[in-house]
Amino acid sequence: MLNNYLQSTGEAHLLSWEFSQSGPEHQATHTAVAKLRGYPVSEGSATTRAVARQIAAFHFLRQRRQI
């Protein structure tokens, strides 16, 4: 959904992701930061990297009032 939105606005090529992990390996918290033009625009944290990325995408779309 995020990629579709960014393609429609011509900004898809400006999106990048940064990932980090904290806590013990068996209970890690993954954090994903969505960056547009190199600037952080949203963040999400979860028990998996994929879900953290989905949360960050959701927050970005919500900020842009797309959902």
Side-chain angles (χ1 to χ4, degrees):
M1 201 165 158
L2 175 59
N3 285 334
N4 291 342
Y5 169 71
L6 291 175
Q7 286 176 355
S8 73
T9 62
E11 298 176 297
H13 66 287
L14 302 173
L15 177 67
S16 62
W17 292 93
E18 182 177 292
F19 297 97
S20 62
Q21 179 180 325
S22 62
E25 192 69 32
H26 66 282
Q27 287 183 314
T29 298
H30 297 268
T31 300
V33 178
K35 294 184 172 189
L36 202 59
R37 296 181 185 92
Y39 295 98
V41 290
S42 65
E43 182 177 309
S45 295
T47 56
T48 68
R49 182 176 163 155
V51 174
R53 185 175 171 158
Q54 288 177 340
I55 292 169
F58 173 82
H59 288 302
F60 177 82
L61 290 169
R62 195 155 188 200
Q63 289 170 3
R64 294 269 179 119
R65 302 189 192 285
Q66 296 302 307
I67 53 173

Coordinates of all heavy atoms in Angstrom, one line a residue:
M1 N 0.8 -1.2 0.0 CA 0.0 0.0 0.0 C 0.9 1.3 0.0 O 0.6 2.2 -0.7 CB -0.9 0.0 1.2 CG -2.1 0.8 1.1 SD -3.3 0.4 2.4 CE -4.2 1.8 2.5
L2 N 1.9 1.3 0.8 CA 2.8 2.4 0.8 C 3.5 2.6 -0.5 O 3.6 3.7 -1.0 CB 3.9 2.2 1.9 CG 4.9 3.3 2.0 CD1 4.3 4.7 2.3 CD2 5.9 3.0 3.1
N3 N 4.0 1.5 -1.1 CA 4.7 1.7 -2.4 C 3.7 2.2 -3.5 O 4.1 3.0 -4.3 CB 5.3 0.3 -2.8 CG 6.5 0.0 -2.1 OD1 7.2 0.9 -1.6 ND2 6.8 -1.3 -1.9
N4 N 2.5 1.7 -3.4 CA 1.5 2.2 -4.4 C 1.2 3.7 -4.2 O 1.2 4.5 -5.2 CB 0.1 1.5 -4.2 CG 0.2 0.0 -4.7 OD1 1.1 -0.4 -5.4 ND2 -0.7 -0.8 -4.2
Y5 N 1.1 4.1 -3.0 CA 0.9 5.6 -2.7 C 2.1 6.4 -3.2 O 2.0 7.4 -3.9 CB 0.7 5.8 -1.2 CG 0.7 7.3 -0.9 CD1 -0.3 8.1 -1.3 CD2 1.8 7.8 -0.2 CE1 -0.3 9.5 -1.0 CE2 1.9 9.2 0.1 CZ 0.8 10.0 -0.3 OH 0.9 11.4 0.0
L6 N 3.3 5.9 -2.9 CA 4.5 6.7 -3.3 C 4.7 6.7 -4.8 O 5.2 7.7 -5.3 CB 5.7 6.2 -2.5 CG 5.8 6.4 -1.0 CD1 7.0 5.7 -0.4 CD2 5.8 7.9 -0.7
Q7 N 4.3 5.6 -5.5 CA 4.4 5.6 -6.9 C 3.4 6.6 -7.5 O 3.8 7.3 -8.5 CB 4.1 4.2 -7.4 CG 5.3 3.2 -7.2 CD 5.0 1.8 -7.7 OE1 3.9 1.5 -8.1 NE2 6.0 1.0 -7.6
S8 N 2.3 6.7 -6.9 CA 1.3 7.7 -7.4 C 1.7 9.1 -7.2 O 1.3 10.0 -8.0 CB -0.1 7.4 -6.8 OG -0.1 7.9 -5.5
T9 N 2.6 9.4 -6.2 CA 3.0 10.7 -6.0 C 4.4 11.0 -6.6 O 4.9 12.1 -6.4 CB 3.1 11.0 -4.5 OG1 4.0 10.1 -3.8 CG2 1.7 10.9 -3.8
G10 N 5.0 10.0 -7.2 CA 6.3 10.1 -7.8 C 7.4 10.1 -6.8 O 8.5 10.6 -7.1
E11 N 7.2 9.6 -5.6 CA 8.2 9.6 -4.6 C 8.8 8.2 -4.2 O 9.6 8.1 -3.3 CB 7.6 10.2 -3.3 CG 7.2 11.6 -3.4 CD 6.5 12.2 -2.2 OE1 5.4 11.6 -1.8 OE2 7.0 13.1 -1.6
A12 N 8.4 7.2 -4.9 CA 8.8 5.8 -4.6 C 10.3 5.7 -4.5 O 10.9 5.0 -3.7 CB 8.2 4.8 -5.6
H13 N 11.0 6.4 -5.4 CA 12.5 6.3 -5.5 C 13.2 7.0 -4.3 O 14.4 6.8 -4.1 CB 13.0 6.8 -6.8 CG 12.8 8.3 -7.0 ND1 11.6 8.8 -7.2 CD2 13.7 9.3 -6.9 CE1 11.7 10.1 -7.4 NE2 12.9 10.4 -7.2
L14 N 12.4 7.8 -3.6 CA 13.0 8.5 -2.4 C 12.8 7.8 -1.1 O 13.4 8.3 -0.1 CB 12.2 9.9 -2.3 CG 12.3 10.8 -3.6 CD1 11.4 12.0 -3.4 CD2 13.8 11.2 -3.9
L15 N 12.2 6.7 -1.1 CA 12.0 5.9 0.1 C 13.1 5.0 0.4 O 13.6 4.3 -0.4 CB 10.7 5.1 0.0 CG 10.4 4.2 1.2 CD1 10.0 5.0 2.5 CD2 9.2 3.3 0.9
S16 N 13.6 5.0 1.7 CA 14.6 4.0 2.1 C 14.2 3.6 3.6 O 13.3 4.2 4.2 CB 16.0 4.7 2.1 OG 16.1 5.7 3.0
W17 N 14.8 2.5 4.0 CA 14.5 1.9 5.3 C 15.8 1.8 6.1 O 16.8 1.5 5.6 CB 13.8 0.6 5.1 CG 12.5 0.6 4.5 CD1 12.2 0.5 3.2 CD2 11.2 0.9 5.2 NE1 10.8 0.7 3.0 CE2 10.2 0.9 4.2 CE3 10.9 1.1 6.5 CZ2 8.9 1.1 4.6 CZ3 9.6 1.3 6.9 CH2 8.6 1.2 5.9
E18 N 15.6 1.9 7.4 CA 16.7 1.7 8.3 C 16.2 0.7 9.4 O 15.1 0.9 9.9 CB 17.2 3.0 9.0 CG 18.3 2.8 9.9 CD 18.8 4.2 10.4 OE1 19.3 5.0 9.6 OE2 18.5 4.5 11.6
F19 N 16.9 -0.3 9.7 CA 16.4 -1.3 10.7 C 17.4 -1.4 11.8 O 18.6 -1.3 11.6 CB 16.3 -2.7 10.0 CG 15.2 -2.7 8.9 CD1 15.6 -2.5 7.6 CD2 13.9 -2.8 9.2 CE1 14.7 -2.5 6.6 CE2 12.9 -2.8 8.2 CZ 13.3 -2.7 6.9
S20 N 16.9 -1.7 13.0 CA 17.7 -2.0 14.2 C 17.0 -3.0 15.0 O 15.8 -3.3 14.9 CB 18.0 -0.7 15.0 OG 16.8 -0.2 15.5
Q21 N 17.8 -3.6 15.9 CA 17.3 -4.6 16.8 C 17.8 -4.4 18.2 O 19.0 -4.0 18.4 CB 17.8 -6.0 16.3 CG 17.3 -7.2 17.1 CD 17.8 -8.5 16.5 OE1 17.9 -8.6 15.3 NE2 18.2 -9.4 17.3
S22 N 17.0 -4.6 19.2 CA 17.4 -4.4 20.6 C 16.9 -5.6 21.4 O 15.9 -6.2 21.0 CB 17.0 -3.1 21.2 OG 15.6 -3.0 21.2
G23 N 17.5 -5.8 22.6 CA 17.1 -6.8 23.5 C 17.8 -8.1 23.2 O 18.5 -8.3 22.2
P24 N 17.5 -9.1 24.0 CA 18.1 -10.4 23.8 C 17.6 -11.1 22.5 O 16.5 -10.8 22.1 CB 17.7 -11.2 25.0 CG 16.6 -10.5 25.6 CD 16.7 -9.1 25.2
E25 N 18.4 -11.9 21.9 CA 18.1 -12.5 20.6 C 16.7 -13.3 20.7 O 15.9 -13.2 19.7 CB 19.2 -13.5 20.2 CG 19.1 -14.0 18.8 CD 19.3 -12.9 17.8 OE1 20.1 -12.0 18.0 OE2 18.7 -13.0 16.7
H26 N 16.4 -13.9 21.7 CA 15.2 -14.7 21.8 C 13.9 -13.8 22.1 O 12.8 -14.3 22.0 CB 15.3 -15.8 22.8 CG 15.4 -15.3 24.2 ND1 16.6 -14.8 24.7 CD2 14.6 -15.3 25.3 CE1 16.5 -14.5 26.0 NE2 15.2 -14.7 26.3
Q27 N 14.1 -12.6 22.5 CA 13.0 -11.6 22.7 C 13.3 -10.3 22.1 O 13.1 -9.2 22.6 CB 12.8 -11.4 24.2 CG 12.2 -12.6 24.9 CD 12.0 -12.3 26.4 OE1 12.8 -11.7 27.0 NE2 10.8 -12.6 26.9
A28 N 13.9 -10.3 20.9 CA 14.3 -9.1 20.2 C 13.1 -8.2 19.9 O 12.1 -8.6 19.5 CB 15.1 -9.4 19.0
T29 N 13.4 -6.9 19.9 CA 12.5 -5.9 19.4 C 13.1 -5.3 18.2 O 14.2 -4.8 18.2 CB 12.2 -4.8 20.5 OG1 11.6 -5.4 21.6 CG2 11.3 -3.7 19.9
H30 N 12.4 -5.4 17.1 CA 12.9 -4.8 15.8 C 12.3 -3.5 15.6 O 11.1 -3.3 15.8 CB 12.6 -5.8 14.7 CG 13.2 -7.1 14.8 ND1 14.4 -7.4 14.2 CD2 12.8 -8.2 15.4 CE1 14.7 -8.6 14.5 NE2 13.8 -9.2 15.2
T31 N 13.1 -2.5 15.1 CA 12.6 -1.2 14.8 C 12.9 -0.9 13.4 O 14.0 -1.1 12.9 CB 13.2 -0.2 15.7 OG1 12.9 -0.5 17.1 CG2 12.7 1.2 15.4
A32 N 11.9 -0.4 12.7 CA 12.0 0.0 11.3 C 11.7 1.5 11.2 O 10.8 2.0 11.8 CB 11.0 -0.7 10.4
V33 N 12.6 2.2 10.5 CA 12.4 3.7 10.3 C 12.3 3.9 8.8 O 13.2 3.5 8.0 CB 13.6 4.5 10.8 CG1 13.4 6.0 10.6 CG2 13.8 4.2 12.3
A34 N 11.2 4.5 8.4 CA 11.0 4.8 7.0 C 11.6 6.2 6.8 O 11.4 7.1 7.6 CB 9.5 4.9 6.6
K35 N 12.4 6.4 5.7 CA 13.0 7.6 5.4 C 12.6 8.1 4.0 O 12.6 7.3 3.1 CB 14.5 7.5 5.5 CG 15.0 7.2 6.9 CD 16.5 7.2 6.9 CE 17.1 7.2 8.3 NZ 18.5 7.4 8.4
L36 N 12.3 9.3 3.9 CA 12.0 9.9 2.6 C 13.0 11.1 2.4 O 13.1 11.9 3.3 CB 10.5 10.5 2.7 CG 9.8 10.7 1.3 CD1 9.7 9.4 0.6 CD2 8.5 11.3 1.5
R37 N 13.7 11.0 1.3 CA 14.7 11.9 1.0 C 15.8 11.9 2.1 O 16.5 12.9 2.3 CB 14.2 13.3 0.8 CG 13.3 13.5 -0.3 CD 12.8 15.0 -0.4 NE 11.8 15.1 -1.5 CZ 10.5 15.0 -1.3 NH1 10.0 14.8 -0.1 NH2 9.7 15.2 -2.3
G38 N 16.0 10.7 2.7 CA 17.0 10.6 3.8 C 16.6 11.1 5.1 O 17.3 10.9 6.1
Y39 N 15.4 11.6 5.3 CA 14.9 12.1 6.6 C 13.9 11.1 7.1 O 13.0 10.7 6.4 CB 14.2 13.5 6.4 CG 15.2 14.5 6.0 CD1 15.2 14.9 4.6 CD2 16.0 15.2 6.9 CE1 16.1 15.9 4.2 CE2 16.9 16.2 6.5 CZ 16.9 16.5 5.2 OH 17.8 17.5 4.8
P40 N 14.0 10.8 8.4 CA 13.0 9.9 9.0 C 11.6 10.5 9.0 O 11.4 11.6 9.4 CB 13.5 9.7 10.5 CG 14.7 10.5 10.6 CD 15.0 11.3 9.4
V41 N 10.6 9.7 8.6 CA 9.2 10.2 8.5 C 8.3 9.3 9.3 O 7.2 9.8 9.7 CB 8.7 10.2 7.0 CG1 9.4 11.4 6.3 CG2 8.9 8.9 6.3
S42 N 8.7 8.1 9.7 CA 7.8 7.3 10.5 C 8.7 6.1 11.1 O 9.7 5.8 10.5 CB 6.6 6.8 9.8 OG 7.0 5.9 8.8
E43 N 8.1 5.5 12.1 CA 8.9 4.4 12.8 C 7.9 3.4 13.3 O 6.7 3.7 13.7 CB 9.6 5.0 14.0 CG 10.5 4.0 14.8 CD 11.3 4.7 15.9 OE1 12.0 5.7 15.6 OE2 11.2 4.3 17.0
G44 N 8.3 2.1 13.4 CA 7.5 1.1 13.9 C 8.4 0.1 14.6 O 9.5 -0.2 14.2
S45 N 7.9 -0.5 15.7 CA 8.6 -1.5 16.4 C 7.7 -2.7 16.7 O 6.5 -2.6 16.9 CB 9.1 -1.0 17.8 OG 10.0 0.1 17.6
A46 N 8.3 -3.9 16.6 CA 7.6 -5.2 16.8 C 8.5 -6.3 17.0 O 9.8 -6.1 17.0 CB 6.7 -5.5 15.5
T47 N 8.0 -7.5 17.2 CA 8.8 -8.7 17.4 C 9.5 -9.2 16.2 O 10.4 -10.0 16.3 CB 8.0 -9.8 18.1 OG1 6.9 -10.1 17.3 CG2 7.5 -9.3 19.5
T48 N 9.0 -8.8 15.0 CA 9.7 -9.2 13.8 C 10.0 -7.9 12.9 O 9.3 -6.9 13.0 CB 8.9 -10.2 12.9 OG1 7.7 -9.5 12.4 CG2 8.4 -11.4 13.7
R49 N 11.0 -8.1 12.1 CA 11.4 -7.0 11.2 C 10.2 -6.6 10.2 O 10.0 -5.5 10.0 CB 12.6 -7.4 10.5 CG 13.2 -6.3 9.5 CD 14.5 -6.8 8.9 NE 14.8 -6.1 7.8 CZ 16.1 -5.9 7.3 NH1 17.1 -6.5 7.9 NH2 16.3 -5.2 6.3
A50 N 9.6 -7.6 9.7 CA 8.5 -7.4 8.7 C 7.3 -6.7 9.3 O 6.8 -5.7 8.7 CB 8.0 -8.8 8.1
V51 N 7.0 -7.0 10.5 CA 5.8 -6.3 11.2 C 6.2 -4.9 11.6 O 5.4 -4.0 11.4 CB 5.3 -7.2 12.4 CG1 4.3 -6.4 13.2 CG2 4.8 -8.5 11.9
A52 N 7.5 -4.7 12.0 CA 7.9 -3.4 12.3 C 7.9 -2.5 11.1 O 7.4 -1.3 11.1 CB 9.4 -3.4 12.9
R53 N 8.2 -3.0 9.9 CA 8.1 -2.3 8.7 C 6.7 -2.0 8.3 O 6.4 -0.9 7.9 CB 8.8 -3.1 7.6 CG 8.9 -2.4 6.3 CD 9.7 -3.2 5.3 NE 9.6 -2.6 3.9 CZ 10.4 -2.8 3.0 NH1 11.4 -3.6 3.2 NH2 10.3 -2.2 1.8
Q54 N 5.8 -2.9 8.5 CA 4.4 -2.7 8.2 C 3.8 -1.6 9.1 O 3.1 -0.7 8.7 CB 3.6 -3.9 8.4 CG 3.8 -5.0 7.3 CD 3.0 -6.2 7.6 OE1 2.6 -6.5 8.7 NE2 2.8 -7.0 6.6
I55 N 4.2 -1.6 10.4 CA 3.7 -0.5 11.3 C 4.3 0.8 10.9 O 3.5 1.8 10.9 CB 4.1 -0.9 12.8 CG1 3.4 -2.1 13.2 CG2 3.9 0.3 13.7 CD1 3.9 -2.7 14.5
A56 N 5.5 0.9 10.5 CA 6.1 2.2 10.1 C 5.4 2.7 8.8 O 5.1 3.9 8.7 CB 7.6 2.0 9.8
A57 N 5.1 1.8 7.9 CA 4.4 2.1 6.7 C 3.0 2.7 7.0 O 2.5 3.7 6.5 CB 4.3 1.0 5.7
F58 N 2.3 2.0 8.0 CA 1.0 2.4 8.4 C 1.0 3.8 9.0 O 0.2 4.7 8.6 CB 0.4 1.4 9.4 CG -0.9 1.9 10.1 CD1 -2.1 1.7 9.4 CD2 -0.9 2.5 11.3 CE1 -3.3 2.1 10.0 CE2 -2.1 2.9 11.9 CZ -3.3 2.7 11.2
H59 N 2.0 4.1 9.9 CA 2.1 5.4 10.5 C 2.4 6.5 9.4 O 1.8 7.6 9.5 CB 3.2 5.4 11.5 CG 2.9 4.7 12.8 ND1 1.8 5.0 13.6 CD2 3.5 3.6 13.4 CE1 1.8 4.1 14.6 NE2 2.8 3.3 14.5
F60 N 3.2 6.1 8.4 CA 3.5 7.1 7.4 C 2.2 7.4 6.6 O 1.9 8.6 6.4 CB 4.5 6.6 6.4 CG 4.8 7.5 5.3 CD1 5.7 8.5 5.4 CD2 4.2 7.3 4.0 CE1 5.9 9.4 4.3 CE2 4.4 8.1 3.0 CZ 5.3 9.2 3.1
L61 N 1.5 6.4 6.2 CA 0.2 6.7 5.5 C -0.8 7.4 6.3 O -1.6 8.3 5.8 CB -0.4 5.3 5.0 CG 0.4 4.7 3.9 CD1 -0.1 3.2 3.6 CD2 0.4 5.5 2.6
R62 N -0.9 7.1 7.6 CA -1.8 7.8 8.4 C -1.4 9.3 8.6 O -2.3 10.2 8.6 CB -1.8 7.2 9.8 CG -2.9 7.6 10.6 CD -3.3 6.5 11.6 NE -4.5 6.9 12.3 CZ -4.9 6.5 13.4 NH1 -4.1 5.6 14.1 NH2 -6.0 6.9 14.0
Q63 N -0.1 9.6 8.6 CA 0.3 11.0 8.7 C -0.1 11.7 7.4 O -0.4 12.9 7.5 CB 1.9 11.1 8.9 CG 2.4 10.6 10.2 CD 3.9 10.5 10.2 OE1 4.6 10.8 9.2 NE2 4.4 10.1 11.3
R64 N 0.0 11.0 6.3 CA -0.4 11.6 5.0 C -1.9 11.6 4.8 O -2.3 11.9 3.7 CB 0.4 10.9 3.9 CG 1.9 11.1 3.9 CD 2.3 12.3 3.1 NE 3.7 12.5 3.0 CZ 4.4 12.5 1.9 NH1 3.9 12.2 0.8 NH2 5.7 12.7 2.0
R65 N -2.6 11.1 5.8 CA -4.1 11.0 5.7 C -4.6 10.2 4.5 O -5.5 10.5 3.9 CB -4.7 12.4 5.7 CG -4.4 13.2 6.9 CD -5.2 14.5 6.9 NE -4.7 15.4 7.9 CZ -4.8 15.3 9.2 NH1 -5.4 14.3 9.7 NH2 -4.3 16.3 10.0
Q66 N -3.8 9.1 4.3 CA -4.2 8.1 3.2 C -5.0 6.9 3.7 O -5.5 6.2 2.9 CB -2.9 7.7 2.4 CG -2.2 8.8 1.8 CD -3.1 9.5 0.8 OE1 -3.7 8.9 -0.1 NE2 -3.2 10.8 0.9
I67 N -5.0 6.8 5.0 CA -5.8 5.7 5.6 C -6.5 6.3 6.9 O -6.2 7.3 7.4 CB -5.0 4.5 6.0 CG1 -3.8 4.8 6.8 CG2 -4.6 3.8 4.7 CD1 -3.1 3.6 7.3

